[in-house]
Amino acid sequence: MSDLILQIAVSLDGYIEDQRGSIDFMVNDTSMDADHTATLRSIDGMIYGRKAHALLADFWPTAGQSAVADTS
């Protein structure tokens, strides 16, 4: 049996955005890049919700052409 990992960003009140719809408070912590890359390499697939899929749909067809640092 495979593991199922749920990754969700939500605050205790059930939202991630502030009152203006902004997520400016979120930061990109590059110290976690190696861990994130290892996790992504270890999985067989991903399931996205409607909004995330719509936001990423334009990215995936050319994702392999992007220059990305190899952290393996």
Side-chain angles (χ1 to χ4, degrees), residues 3-69:
D3 293 332
L4 177 64
I5 301 169
L6 172 66
Q7 187 267 327
I8 188 169
V10 65
S11 64
L12 293 175
D13 63 0
Y15 298 95
I16 188 171
E17 300 170 338
D18 66 15
Q19 294 172 338
R20 296 170 288 134
S22 173
I23 58 171
D24 290 345
F25 62 90
M26 295 183 72
V27 296
N28 181 24
D29 184 355
T30 57
S31 71
M32 297 297 295
D33 285 355
D35 292 329
H36 291 157
T37 299
T39 299
L40 290 171
R41 286 185 174 154
S42 73
I43 63 175
D44 293 323
M46 300 168 82
I47 299 172
Y48 289 103
R50 179 184 56 82
K51 289 184 179 183
H53 181 273
L55 290 169
L56 290 168
D58 291 333
F59 168 76
W60 291 119
T62 59
Q65 300 167 10
S66 300
V68 179

